[in-house]
Amino acid sequence: MKRVFDFLNLPNYQIPDYQKFNLCSYPLIRKLLPQKFRYFFQAEIHNLESDLDMKFNWETRDR
């Protein structure tokens, strides 16, 4: 939490007792899911790259 407070430029605060959520493990995503996301968001990706005048080359980031 200290790193988060530092990042947000907030004073360090000790949280008395915080609950932990999402303690379950999650299944690995399917290999084709990133490809499906790229296809689904193809127009948005193009607009972002065009607006920023950058190419992110997301096609090669399947893991």
Side-chain angles (χ1 to χ4, degrees), residues 18-33:
Y18 62 93
Q19 295 178 339
K20 294 182 180 181
F21 296 96
N22 298 329
L23 297 175
C24 302
S25 62
Y26 296 95
L28 295 175
I29 62 172
R30 293 182 301 170
K31 196 168 189 135
L32 293 177
L33 193 57

Side-chain angles (χ1 to χ4, degrees), residues 3 7 11 19 25 28 39 44 47 51 58 60:
R3 288 177 52 198
F7 175 77
Q19 295 178 339
S25 62
L28 295 175
Y39 178 76
E44 288 80 3
N47 291 339
D51 289 346
W58 290 341
T60 62

Side-chain angles (χ1 to χ4, degrees), residues 38 41-61:
R38 276 194 306 275
F41 292 107
Q42 185 174 9
E44 288 80 3
I45 291 170
H46 173 74
N47 291 339
L48 177 64
E49 291 178 335
S50 179
D51 289 346
L52 297 177
D53 196 25
M54 298 176 86
K55 178 78 173 144
F56 291 107
N57 198 21
W58 290 341
E59 293 83 19
T60 62
R61 294 195 179 187

Side-chain angles (χ1 to χ4, degrees), residues 2-10:
K2 181 179 180 338
R3 288 177 52 198
V4 173
F5 290 131
D6 289 346
F7 175 77
L8 296 172
N9 200 23
L10 295 172

